[in-house]
Amino acid sequence: MEVNPRSNQGYGTLERIGYRIGASVDTRVSRAQKIFVGFASVAVVMAVIVGTASVVKNSAMENYNSLYSVNERGLAYVTDDSVVYSFGTETPEDTPPELNRFPKDPKKISVDLFSHPKVVETMESLLDESNEFYDPDLHDACNGPDNNIDIYLNEDQMRADLWYSDAYSAFGLDCRLPNTNHIAFLVVMGAMGDIINIRRIERRAESVNLYNTSTILASTQRGVYLWNYITDTYERTKFSADTHTLIYRQSENRFYGCYPDKKAIELHEPNTVCSFDGVSGKTVFDDKLQKTKGWAWSDASAHMNYITLGGDAAYVSERQNSALKKVNMDTNEVEWVLGGRENTFDITIYDGSSVDITFRGGAQGTSQPWNHQHKFQHLDDQYVSLFDNNVDNDHTFIEKSWGKDSRMVVLHIDQENQKAEEVFSWPTGDRARSYGGTDILATGNVLGSSYVDWVFPAMEDYQYHQNIWEVNTAGEVVWRVGFKGLNIVAPEDVTDPYPHHFRKAGDSLSDVMPVGWNIYNVERVYPLPVVSQPCAIRSEGQPDQLQFMPFNTLRSQEDYPGAAFVAPSGTVDYVGSTTFMFHKSWLPRLVIMDIDTPADDPELTLSVGNHWDEFAVIEIGKMSELADCPAEDQFRSFFPIS
């Protein structure tokens, strides 16, 4: 096992990010700038359409809900009568099965988060009585164990056929007690466990997304922030939003998320989604002069937890309804519903059987294909994905054909004929009542996360509070990150199972919330655009052609423009160039470029750039020595029409 104690990581990792373009970069960037001129001025005309549901405003965000009281220095985690914490009074429902949830021939790396200077500073502040964050109970419950992050990876399967320097993962990480007390961080981590950067935040973030390659967009319980993890600049925006979901669409310079009304903030039940102006931060609700152009839509009793955009449509994930709703933002009409009571699709699940969604006899949970999901998102007009938490209205896990576990799901949808088919389903082996996601990566692998219901510290596979998963489409784990923690009422007990949840006493329908270490969702980001292995198309009497698949540095809410150039290595004498559009969700999109191969068949360099002038530079060798393009892609299964 390789131990990576973190003490000398941090900014050294960032300094290794090099463009390696050399003297020719000025010419290439200049040309790329000409190609991208005018992109920032592109605007999508949006009608100002406001939902009819009433909204009780509470946009100040300072009055976040606090349902659970803290005992007066009797240890916050020794709970009073308002909280039920099951350690010592209950046992887990069953012992987890023996599963192999590790990569094939894995490399294991352990990281000591608690030796990072920023985490050390955070923990010390919890013991400083003069510090506003003083909380010795939180310190005792969260400060350990050493080497608390384990990374397991198969490098070849994780990389597939991509050319890149590193693959980062961005997420919010927090440790909490059965009350509002917690410590929270934003984290960017490299594939080998390098902490690229970490930032303590005052109150936790739920959904974390990318604003651009180097900047994290986080909606926290203290406002919306932009964090440049390279410069470590942390900037509060002019607005607040509900924490469940917040995304950015650059062509409009608008953010989209849940409006922070009273129901969203005090009851944690967001039912209104809207746009926030990128300059003023205002919504159509907040601007008394009604000069702000924007969009809003409400749906009663929805518990919205994610929003994605595709063209003029918003796709809203409604946890309470176990559904994804497509809303036309020009008319505010619901065009279709996938899942739940109002489902309009014929649904086929992963085993080929059709689903009859019924609500008779109280069997609504078992008759639905997924239950109380998170991050139900539009990837493309043919593909959507979700994290199926698989819990019923009473927060119990539902027995399905794969058991009671939460799972990662991708569906192929035919919108015209209203048919949907699960084309990927991977039970995680964890039971996560909340949180999670399922993202298709540039490699064709699938990224997600899950926290656990019970921790089994004596079992290697089940000792973690939280997992991040990357699996291939065959269901094999290729990368796993496990976060260990302590039993919050008995930190010295490292053998007995303990719950990773609590609930409000006397209320069977209250949320069963996690304690210890947790992640809401994970996003992958690359320092530079990435490219699949280039190959050659050769036809007699025709110019040689270069084929590859480019992927942008991040997933976005619209396709962004890109450009590619090929030149003999060390020169700017281009023998091929083209422009294209990066797919917003990293679905594969082929680029084919004519190459005017010089007679001497020199070594060639491929440069691929995005509209932020970030370039990947790849030495591809001689055109004559490139392999012919294969008939099928051996790594990717989810191909868009265009």
Side-chain angles (χ1 to χ4, degrees):
M1 181 182 72
E2 180 180 343
V3 176
N4 187 0
R6 174 56 183 89
S7 57
N8 294 311
Q9 294 174 23
Y11 297 103
T13 304
L14 296 175
E15 291 165 0
R16 291 195 295 271
I17 299 173
Y19 289 86
R20 298 181 293 108
I21 296 179
S24 63
V25 68
D26 290 340
T27 303
R28 294 177 192 169
V29 169
S30 176
R31 183 171 182 178
Q33 287 171 338
K34 293 177 182 178
I35 292 172
F36 298 137
V37 164
F39 179 80
S41 65
V42 175
V44 178
V45 178
M46 302 286 290
V48 182
I49 301 175
V50 181
T52 58
S54 62
V55 176
V56 180
K57 297 182 185 178
N58 184 13
S59 58
M61 283 292 282
E62 275 74 30
N63 296 323
Y64 60 91
N65 194 26
S66 179
L67 292 177
Y68 309 106
S69 60
V70 181
N71 291 325
E72 193 173 327
R73 190 49 195 137
L75 296 184
Y77 47 83
V78 178
T79 59
D80 61 20
D81 292 338
S82 68
V83 175
V84 174
Y85 183 72
S86 302
F87 182 69
T89 61
E90 295 181 18
T91 57
E93 181 180 349
D94 48 32
T95 300
E98 292 291 336
L99 298 175
N100 183 13
R101 301 189 298 166
F102 299 100
K104 180 182 179 181
D105 302 322
K107 178 179 183 179
K108 182 179 180 182
I109 303 170
S110 292
V111 175
D112 187 9
L113 183 70
F114 301 107
S115 67
H116 189 289
K118 293 182 181 178
V119 180
V120 171
E121 181 182 3
T122 296
M123 292 301 175
E124 290 176 348
S125 73
L126 298 178
L127 297 178
D128 181 359
E129 293 187 30
S130 64
N131 193 291
E132 62 175 315
F133 299 110
Y134 173 68
D135 192 333
D137 302 332
L138 191 60
H139 174 276
D140 294 346
C142 297
N143 190 31
D146 293 340
N147 294 321
N148 68 314
I149 304 176
D150 290 332
I151 296 96
Y152 305 86
L153 76 157
N154 182 306
E155 293 183 66
D156 292 338
Q157 288 185 309
M158 187 180 182
R159 182 175 291 271
D161 65 344
L162 286 191
W163 291 33
Y164 64 82
S165 58
D166 200 354
Y168 297 166
S169 294
F171 50 91
L173 177 67
D174 68 82
C175 182
R176 64 187 80 163
L177 299 177
N179 49 56
T180 59
N181 291 22
H182 65 267
I183 51 173
F185 304 92
L186 297 175
V187 183
V188 177
M189 173 186 287
M192 298 293 183
D194 292 0
I195 304 299
I196 306 302
N197 208 345
I198 187 170
R199 176 89 189 194
R200 185 185 182 179
I201 56 179
E202 186 177 355
R203 303 291 297 183
R204 67 184 178 89
E206 289 192 331
S207 176
V208 169
N209 281 295
L210 274 299
Y211 179 78
N212 58 35
T213 304
S214 60
T215 305
I216 306 298
L217 170 64
S219 184
T220 81
Q221 294 176 334
R222 282 293 185 271
V224 173
Y225 287 85
L226 294 171
W227 175 48
N228 186 313
Y229 62 86
I230 294 179
T231 64
D232 208 19
T233 303
Y234 190 58
E235 176 186 356
R236 183 167 183 171
T237 66
K238 295 180 180 179
F239 69 101
S240 293
D242 175 76
T243 59
H244 282 83
T245 178
L246 190 65
I247 57 174
Y248 179 66
R249 183 177 254 187
Q250 182 172 342
S251 65
E252 302 174 13
N253 192 20
R254 285 179 181 159
F255 301 87
Y256 287 80
C258 292
Y259 186 72
D261 56 23
K262 186 173 183 179
K263 193 162 189 179
I265 303 307
E266 294 190 2
L267 299 180
H268 207 56
E269 290 284 347
N271 292 328
T272 298
V273 66
C274 65
S275 62
F276 301 82
D277 185 83
V279 176
S280 68
K282 292 184 180 296
T283 72
V284 293
F285 301 116
D286 303 320
D287 187 355
K288 295 180 180 179
L289 300 177
Q290 297 184 341
K291 293 183 178 180
T292 299
K293 295 181 179 180
W295 169 82
W297 178 76
S298 297
D299 196 12
S301 302
H303 193 130
M304 300 169 177
N305 61 24
Y306 209 71
I307 180 175
T308 39
L309 305 178
D312 60 0
Y315 297 80
V316 183
S317 174
E318 297 190 348
R319 172 174 166 83
Q320 190 63 32
N321 295 321
S322 298
L324 179 70
K325 292 187 177 180
K326 180 182 180 181
V327 182
N328 185 313
M329 292 193 291
D330 290 332
T331 66
N332 263 18
E333 293 180 355
V334 177
E335 295 188 3
W336 50 249
V337 181
L338 180 55
R341 292 176 180 270
E342 303 170 77
N343 174 62
T344 61
F345 280 76
D346 294 329
I347 300 173
T348 303
I349 61 173
Y350 74 100
D351 62 3
S353 61
S354 298
V355 175
D356 179 19
I357 300 179
T358 61
F359 289 85
R360 297 184 298 272
Q364 62 181 35
T366 56
S367 69
Q368 295 194 83
W370 47 81
N371 295 78
H372 291 81
Q373 83 289 331
H374 273 75
K375 205 178 185 181
F376 211 153
Q377 62 179 328
H378 172 270
L379 304 174
D380 182 82
D381 284 347
Q382 295 179 96
Y383 291 100
V384 297
S385 68
L386 68 136
F387 188 82
D388 178 10
N389 296 97
N390 194 34
V391 291
D392 218 333
N393 288 335
D394 61 357
H395 303 286
T396 58
F397 293 97
I398 304 168
E399 186 68 49
K400 296 285 186 69
S401 57
W402 64 85
K404 294 185 176 182
D405 297 336
S406 306
R407 62 185 182 129
M408 297 156 58
V409 181
V410 178
L411 294 106
H412 180 273
I413 58 173
D414 179 346
Q415 298 189 52
E416 181 178 358
N417 296 304
Q418 298 283 278
K419 295 182 182 297
E421 179 185 3
E422 292 183 2
V423 292
F424 176 83
S425 171
W426 188 72
T428 62
D430 292 339
R431 297 176 185 177
R433 286 190 171 88
S434 193
Y435 308 169
T438 302
D439 300 339
I440 296 173
L441 299 179
T443 55
N445 295 336
V446 183
L447 178 72
S449 60
S450 56
Y451 70 71
V452 304
D453 191 42
W454 280 77
V455 180
F456 296 80
M459 300 178 68
E460 181 183 19
D461 198 2
Y462 297 94
Q463 63 181 311
Y464 302 106
H465 286 200
Q466 173 75 47
N467 286 293
I468 299 175
W469 307 102
E470 183 178 334
V471 299
N472 61 26
T473 53
E476 300 170 324
V477 177
V478 303
W479 187 67
R480 176 182 181 180
V481 184
F483 296 81
K484 289 181 283 191
L486 300 173
N487 181 333
I488 62 171
V489 299
E492 73 287 347
D493 187 343
V494 295
T495 57
D496 292 327
Y498 59 90
H500 186 246
H501 63 264
F502 70 96
R503 75 158 72 236
K504 186 180 179 183
D507 184 357
S508 62
L509 296 182
S510 68
D511 256 354
V512 180
M513 298 301 295
V515 293
W517 291 97
N518 299 279
I519 292 172
Y520 188 89
N521 75 297
V522 179
E523 285 288 331
R524 179 61 50 83
V525 58
Y526 298 98
L528 300 171
V530 295
V531 178
S532 68
Q533 174 67 49
C535 58
I537 300 175
R538 300 179 176 92
S539 299
E540 188 173 349
Q542 300 295 322
D544 291 339
Q545 292 182 310
L546 185 72
Q547 177 179 292
F548 59 93
M549 285 179 285
F551 301 91
N552 211 347
T553 53
L554 48 72
R555 299 183 329 117
S556 56
Q557 297 304 313
E558 57 194 336
D559 293 351
Y560 286 153
F565 314 95
V566 174
S569 297
T571 77
V572 292
D573 301 323
Y574 298 113
V575 297
S577 64
T578 191
T579 59
F580 56 85
M581 298 298 287
F582 289 106
H583 193 284
K584 69 163 191 165
S585 301
W586 284 343
L587 298 191
R589 182 177 282 163
L590 290 173
V591 170
I592 299 175
M593 183 192 310
D594 288 342
I595 302 297
D596 185 13
T597 307
D600 59 348
D601 192 23
E603 302 279 335
L604 298 177
T605 299
L606 169 65
S607 300
V608 176
N610 60 22
H611 73 289
W612 292 304
D613 285 342
E614 296 163 336
F615 278 83
V617 180
I618 302 164
E619 302 299 330
I620 63 175
K622 296 181 178 181
M623 193 70 193
S624 63
E625 296 177 356
L626 279 179
D628 291 338
C629 295
E632 294 183 359
D633 190 310
Q634 69 179 98
F635 300 103
R636 299 167 185 86
S637 300
F638 313 113
F639 280 83
I641 292 176
S642 61

